[in-house]
Amino acid sequence: MKRPKTLLALSLALCALVSWAVSFAGRSGHPVNAYFLYVAYDVGISIILAVSLNLINGYTGQFSLGHAGFMAAGAYTAGVLSTHLGPRLIPLLGGDSPFAHSIVFLTALLVGGLAAALTGLLVGVPSLRLKGDYLAIVTLGFGEIIRVILQNTPAVGGSRGYSVAMGYTNLFWTYGFAMITIYVVMAMVHSTYGRGFLAVHDDEVAAEAMGINTTRYKVTAFVTGAFFAGIGGGLYAHSKQFLNPSGFDFIKSIEIVVMVILGGMGNTAGVVLAAIVLTLLPEVLRPIAGYRMVIYSLLLIILMLTCPQGLFASIGSGLRRLLRRKTGVSTSPSTHG
Amino acid sequence: MNAPGQLLVLEQCTIRFGGLTAVSKLDLAVSERALVGLIGPNGAGKTTVFNLITGVYQPTEGRILFDGKSIDGKRPYQITEHGIARTFQNIRLFPSLSVFDNVRVAFHLHVLSGIEHALWRGRAFHDEEAAITAQVLEMLAIFKLERFRDTPAKSLPYGDQRRLEIVRALATRPRLLLLDEPAAGMNPTEKVELMSLIRFIQEKYHLSILLVEHDMKVVMGICEHIVVLDYGVKIAEGNPAAIRSNAKVIEAYLGEDSGSGAPNSQSPP
Ligand SMILES: Nc1ncnc2c1ncn2[C@@H]1O[C@H](COP(=O)(O)OP(=O)(O)OP(=O)(O)O)[C@@H](O)[C@H]1O
Ligand SMILES: [Mg+2]
């Protein structure tokens, strides 16, 4: 990453271009299959969720099982905002125009992200005394609390669910925010400041002895991770246009954790790959209907067993082994341990 | 009792763990630029003294002053900010980080740019990162670790791990360095090198050093002043010659044959 900002700008431009091309094709009578679009949104949202959780679980080494809770906070906040305040804001923004709708959507997403970040702070601070399994249990409990609260809040439909008026989510917003999430997490970690997250992961006592405020780092990881989970939730809300509290249960959290583990904790590229693979897998298996989830689970177990270091690392070392066999030259680094 | 020139002062420090008094009414002073040894049998409370000084534990009674100011109740990272760095008896490097990053993390306190600079990645950020890289590489070169630059700390040879821990502590730019059994697990040649290394860093970085060590050749060889603990109580202090001939110390720790390297008890590996 020599010029990360340029790279980010270029990829945002690419997202805009592709998104525009898709909508142009739609308007000129060659619409892209809606199913593919929705799967593409799911993949982008998974990337956002997994990369942001990787900051907490992978880089900082805090075992959080509450990501679906942060996602729910963002999804409901953004959904309610655009549905209730949107119609009032549009006239103020000069009436019904793509610009006005974009502003409404962006605002809803960002406020959703902030709401999730705030919940991240509320969970993060008291949970900091806990480690490992205990932290996992507390964050899991917290996620369930959010779900139960939503289920019992009639204003957002309770357990019947909540309909979001606008289907704002498109390729640009989804992949734009995915790029931003990747950029933010990688830029944070790739700096002297950011090595502190890895230090906390490796040894908290030693990290403190090096002058690192471990509490501050953990809270930063929680709040940043939660913020992007909230953004992911907002995109989800405006893609499905229907929110049901049970969609944010701990199974959802575990799905995201699995992406992080399979991607190789603290390896952003691997986590992105795992998010793509694990989101596409159930879709690919759709034709075999009834056995779909059985096969999915089986494949998951096989992947976990064969790639304990993470999908990406395994592919990397597999390629290396293959190269070595072809060329007879050792390409593996001398330091392995 | 805070005489001028005294960098670290412990006044009547006591810490109890349940019924066990690990350190009892300890008075200890380390003056500016001094090299003080802290010795005693296994379980005497030496590491506990380090943990008290660095804020890992809070004293049950007593006070700790650094540079004339009380550092009681401060968290370990704040104490490092004040200028106290340490190494650990059981090496605690960042095992998965490279040798380079282990030292880089220790520059943390002296990094001006925080999260916003890391995200924006402007000129100031790149300049500072380049400056830190240069300083880390310089330190690695001084301590002959540069060939391990990209090696994960956990795959370093044992002696180099101990050395890296000292380098990492130095990178926080301390005024007082606490070394907990730096010679443990080293062979005689490495021990001799370690002694000159300790003298060298004390000169170069103008340090005060408090050294816990079981190897008497090392302790007697470099310390000007030695404090002896037994069951958490200070039983003697003085210069090496006085300690070597002190009857109480011989009985509790050194044994009759006090000229040799190893005292009665040996540290666990
Ligand atoms: N956190 C703790 N809880 C309970 N007891 C403790 C704790 N830390 C230390 N102790 C006890 O305090 C006493 C002093 O231990 P300490 O580790 O300071 O000894 P030491 O002088 O460093 O010994 P060694 O030479 O073996 O390293 C021991 O009896 C130890 O069991
Ligand atoms: Mg000890």
Side-chain angles (χ1 to χ4, degrees):
Chain A
M1 276 221 303
K2 257 260 123 51
R3 299 198 150 278
K5 258 192 296 181
T6 318
L7 213 61
L8 176 66
L10 283 177
S11 47
L12 287 179
L14 186 68
C15 293
L17 192 69
V18 172
S19 191
W20 175 81
V22 166
S23 75
F24 180 78
R27 268 178 279 131
S28 49
H30 306 283
V32 175
N33 186 327
Y35 167 73
F36 287 128
L37 276 182
Y38 283 108
V39 171
Y41 301 156
D42 283 350
V43 168
I45 292 166
S46 291
I47 292 174
I48 294 173
L49 292 169
V51 169
S52 59
L53 182 68
N54 189 33
L55 179 63
I56 305 172
N57 288 27
Y59 287 114
T60 320
Q62 307 301 301
F63 197 167
S64 169
L65 263 177
H67 226 48
F70 300 139
M71 186 190 175
Y76 273 84
T77 308
V80 169
L81 262 181
S82 79
T83 305
H84 285 286
L85 292 183
R88 265 168 257 177
L89 273 173
I90 298 281
L92 299 178
L93 291 163
D96 202 9
S97 69
F99 167 76
H101 284 288
S102 299
I103 295 292
V104 168
F105 187 37
L106 185 60
T107 311
L109 285 179
L110 292 179
V111 176
L114 290 176
L118 191 69
T119 38
L121 190 67
L122 292 179
V123 192
V125 172
S127 315
L128 286 173
R129 304 165 160 276
L130 306 171
K131 288 188 180 49
D133 311 346
Y134 294 94
L135 181 64
I137 291 166
V138 167
T139 50
L140 185 143
F142 142 81
E144 289 299 283
I145 289 173
I146 295 223
R147 187 177 61 79
V148 172
I149 289 178
L150 289 171
Q151 230 153 30
N152 293 293
T153 308
V156 292
S159 52
R160 277 177 296 111
Y162 180 80
S163 290
V164 175
M166 305 300 288
Y168 281 136
T169 299
N170 64 18
L171 287 176
F172 171 68
W173 291 114
T174 309
Y175 284 88
F177 271 110
M179 296 303 166
I180 290 173
T181 310
I182 294 170
Y183 174 85
V184 167
V185 170
M186 295 201 46
M188 266 166 87
V189 170
H190 288 272
S191 65
T192 299
Y193 159 83
R195 292 288 111 169
F197 292 104
L198 308 189
V200 170
H201 170 278
D202 268 17
D203 190 328
E204 272 185 47
V205 174
E208 282 266 337
M210 292 305 112
I212 286 171
N213 184 346
T214 53
T215 311
R216 178 109 150 257
Y217 270 88
K218 286 192 253 178
V219 171
T220 304
F222 258 100
V223 169
T224 312
F227 175 81
F228 285 107
I231 299 275
L235 290 164
Y236 174 90
H238 295 85
S239 152
K240 307 285 181 220
Q241 289 187 257
F242 183 74
L243 297 174
N244 193 321
S246 60
F248 303 100
D249 59 1
F250 75 93
I251 304 275
K252 180 74 198 172
S253 291
I254 288 174
E255 267 175 39
I256 311 168
V257 169
V258 168
M259 290 172 190
V260 172
I261 295 176
L262 195 61
M265 309 271 255
N267 174 346
T268 300
V271 168
V272 170
L273 186 68
I276 297 172
V277 170
L278 291 186
T279 312
L280 290 181
L281 200 54
E283 300 302 330
V284 175
L285 295 174
R286 217 171 260 284
I288 52 171
Y291 294 104
R292 186 164 73 113
M293 289 330 276
V294 178
I295 305 282
Y296 170 80
S297 309
L298 268 177
L299 282 174
L300 209 57
I301 293 170
I302 293 170
L303 281 175
M304 287 286 182
L305 288 177
T306 51
C307 312
Q309 298 299 314
L311 207 51
F312 211 70
S314 298
I315 292 176
S317 65
L319 278 178
R320 232 178 281 131
R321 218 173 303 135
L322 206 73
L323 269 177
R324 200 167 13 186
R325 205 169 300 150
K326 282 260 162 63
T327 59
V329 180
S330 166
T331 51
S332 74
S334 55
T335 57
H336 229 78
Chain B
M1 85 159 266
N2 189 23
Q6 289 190 337
L7 188 58
L8 176 79
V9 176
L10 272 71
E11 285 179 9
Q12 294 286 302
C13 276
T14 298
I15 181 165
R16 291 190 199 94
F17 298 110
L20 176 86
T21 306
V23 175
S24 174
K25 295 200 168 26
L26 177 67
D27 285 320
L28 180 82
V30 179
S31 29
E32 202 90 54
R33 307 264 199 120
L35 214 168
V36 176
L38 180 63
I39 63 172
N42 292 128
K46 305 176 298 292
T47 299
T48 306
V49 170
F50 276 18
N51 285 334
L52 284 172
I53 297 170
T54 54
V56 175
Y57 300 146
Q58 300 301 325
T60 320
E61 285 156 34
R63 322 196 281 161
I64 303 175
L65 303 172
F66 184 69
D67 204 14
K69 291 184 285 284
S70 167
I71 54 170
D72 295 343
K74 294 220 191 299
R75 286 192 35 200
Y77 82 90
Q78 293 170 315
I79 288 181
T80 311
E81 265 170 18
H82 276 77
I84 303 181
R86 73 178 292 184
T87 64
F88 294 89
Q89 181 172 353
N90 317 305
I91 302 177
R92 298 190 83 138
L93 290 165
F94 303 117
S96 72
L97 294 190
S98 66
V99 167
F100 179 85
D101 275 344
N102 265 273
V103 181
R104 174 149 82 127
V105 163
F107 273 87
H108 177 87
L109 286 176
H110 310 286
V111 179
L112 301 172
S113 56
I115 188 167
E116 62 288 349
H117 285 82
L119 290 179
W120 180 246
R121 289 183 124 66
R123 184 68 177 276
F125 171 82
H126 287 295
D127 288 351
E128 187 166 41
E129 292 288 308
I132 289 169
T133 302
Q135 290 177 64
V136 172
L137 291 180
E138 190 193 325
M139 289 194 85
L140 292 184
I142 293 175
F143 296 97
K144 307 207 167 50
L145 285 165
E146 73 259 69
R147 71 201 160 103
F148 295 123
R149 179 188 162 156
D150 299 317
T151 309
K154 64 178 171 225
S155 9
L156 275 190
Y158 187 80
D160 290 316
Q161 291 197 14
R162 286 240 173 252
R163 221 140 35 87
L164 176 58
E165 236 201 348
I166 296 176
V167 177
R168 189 182 65 166
L170 289 174
T172 66
R173 296 188 202 151
R175 292 172 67 195
L176 172 67
L177 179 62
L178 312 177
L179 298 172
D180 200 346
E181 301 197 22
M186 286 188 170
N187 64 37
T189 330
E190 286 174 323
K191 282 180 183 171
V192 173
E193 283 169 12
L194 177 75
M195 285 165 72
S196 52
L197 177 86
I198 292 175
R199 284 201 203 93
F200 168 75
I201 59 175
Q202 190 196 16
E203 270 303 305
K204 182 168 169 67
Y205 299 99
H206 316 299
L207 292 174
S208 305
I209 296 178
L210 184 58
L211 171 73
V212 166
E213 184 49 64
H214 279 295
D215 189 299
M216 284 306 115
K217 280 212 187 92
V218 174
V219 178
M220 300 289 176
I222 56 177
C223 295
E224 304 129 21
H225 188 83
I226 295 171
V227 174
V228 189
L229 281 186
D230 189 24
Y231 290 110
V233 178
K234 180 164 78 180
I235 56 168
E237 72 180 305
N239 62 32
I243 293 299
R244 214 181 271 127
S245 55
N246 184 304
K248 270 191 188 164
V249 179
I250 291 171
E251 187 193 341
Y253 184 48
L254 293 179
E256 290 311 319
D257 160 38
S258 61
S260 76
N264 285 343
S265 54
Q266 265 299 315
S267 117

